[in-house]
Amino acid sequence: MASTDKGIALNTGEEYHTFPAILFDFDGTLVDSTEAIVKHWHKIGHEIGVDPAVILQASHGRRTIETLQLYDPSKANWEYVSQVEGLIPREFGADAALVPGAKAILASLEAVKARWAIATSGTRALIQGWLDVTKLPPPQHLVVAEDCEKGKPSGEPYLLAKELLGLSAETVALVIEDSPAGVVSGKAAKCKVLGLATTHSMMQLRQAGADWIVKDLRSVEVTPTATDHSGAGEVTIKICNVLAN
């Protein structure tokens, strides 16, 4: 057990867990677009006459359409939301960066032909824009905001991702998330959840129900030698440097 400069203890041991699929959130999990999203909401806030700071307090992990329902219902429609979100990577792409370890873990999953998907609160236009900018591999299946009647913290996004991957609702996949709403969503979908402390505190993720919490994706590795090549698609991952009290 070691400690960080912020007084958070690290469990430096390694844990190995096998799952039939890995389900990722996108923003804050694979791509850190915090600065881009802040600029986006400042732009929208000025447009609708609402303090951007107020909007930002409630927007993370929530679909834009639901945020707009709170502040300007007239703009809470998919045509408007897709249009403005599609502009984010083009206008603010320089303000985004990959979460450390993101490219490596996706490449590893692709290499062993593991099942994986993305389930996000962003629109298809937004996520496709970020995939184009970041050059990350496209997921086998992508669940976006407009695919679900209810967004996170409902379990619907991750349940749909499992269904698209050919898994039952009862199958325990691994969800990787950065927001409390996303953690709750993963647990509601009967998954194990690995929380990344990239946008929220360890305490917030723990209170939401995360099974493990790590700093970023550098603490998560695919273990090729332990991966099931029988066609079942199971993959074993190594989790290290788990944050603990």
Side-chain angles (χ1 to χ4, degrees), residues 78-123:
W78 289 121
E79 181 179 2
Y80 175 80
V81 171
S82 294
Q83 176 189 351
V84 296
E85 286 199 354
L87 292 173
I88 296 174
R90 282 185 278 168
E91 293 183 341
F92 308 120
D95 296 297
L98 293 177
V99 169
K103 184 168 289 187
I105 192 170
L106 294 188
S108 297
L109 291 170
E110 288 285 287
V112 300
K113 296 180 171 55
R115 286 182 290 206
W116 68 280
I118 291 173
T120 174
S121 297
T123 59

Side-chain angles (χ1 to χ4, degrees), residues 3-189:
S3 60
T4 70
D5 57 359
K6 293 185 179 181
I8 298 173
L10 292 177
N11 178 358
T12 54
E14 300 173 351
E15 298 183 29
Y16 293 83
H17 301 275
T18 300
F19 297 96
I22 312 295
L23 312 177
F24 293 90
D25 174 48
F26 192 80
D27 186 30
T29 298
L30 294 172
V31 173
D32 180 1
S33 60
T34 301
E35 292 303 316
I37 297 302
V38 167
K39 290 181 178 180
H40 160 72
W41 279 118
H42 272 265
K43 176 182 174 183
I44 299 301
H46 293 313
E47 179 182 327
I48 65 177
V50 178
D51 184 350
V54 173
I55 300 176
L56 287 164
Q57 288 177 354
S59 64
H60 192 83
R62 187 193 299 265
R63 296 185 298 179
T64 294
I65 198 165
E66 292 160 344
T67 302
L68 288 171
Q69 284 169 351
L70 297 174
Y71 303 109
D72 188 346
S74 70
K75 296 188 182 300
N77 61 80
W78 289 121
E79 181 179 2
Y80 175 80
V81 171
S82 294
Q83 176 189 351
V84 296
E85 286 199 354
L87 292 173
I88 296 174
R90 282 185 278 168
E91 293 183 341
F92 308 120
D95 296 297
L98 293 177
V99 169
K103 184 168 289 187
I105 192 170
L106 294 188
S108 297
L109 291 170
E110 288 285 287
V112 300
K113 296 180 171 55
R115 286 182 290 206
W116 68 280
I118 291 173
T120 174
S121 297
T123 59
R124 193 168 302 277
L126 174 64
I127 304 308
Q128 189 57 59
W130 282 130
L131 290 173
D132 292 342
V133 168
T134 61
K135 308 303 181 185
L136 287 173
Q140 294 167 9
H141 293 285
L142 173 61
V143 176
V144 295
E146 55 265 49
D147 292 331
C148 300
E149 182 178 346
K150 295 181 179 179
K152 302 171 186 178
S154 160
E156 184 179 347
Y158 287 115
L159 287 169
L160 179 54
K162 286 198 288 186
E163 179 183 341
L164 292 172
L165 288 170
L167 304 173
S168 73
E170 302 298 320
T171 301
V172 181
L174 176 66
V175 164
I176 303 183
E177 266 283 358
D178 71 298
S179 74
V183 172
V184 173
S185 176
K187 299 301 289 186

Side-chain angles (χ1 to χ4, degrees), residues 199-212:
T199 61
H200 290 78
S201 71
M202 180 188 70
M203 186 59 65
Q204 288 173 307
L205 295 171
R206 173 163 290 169
Q207 289 175 343
D211 296 284
W212 305 274

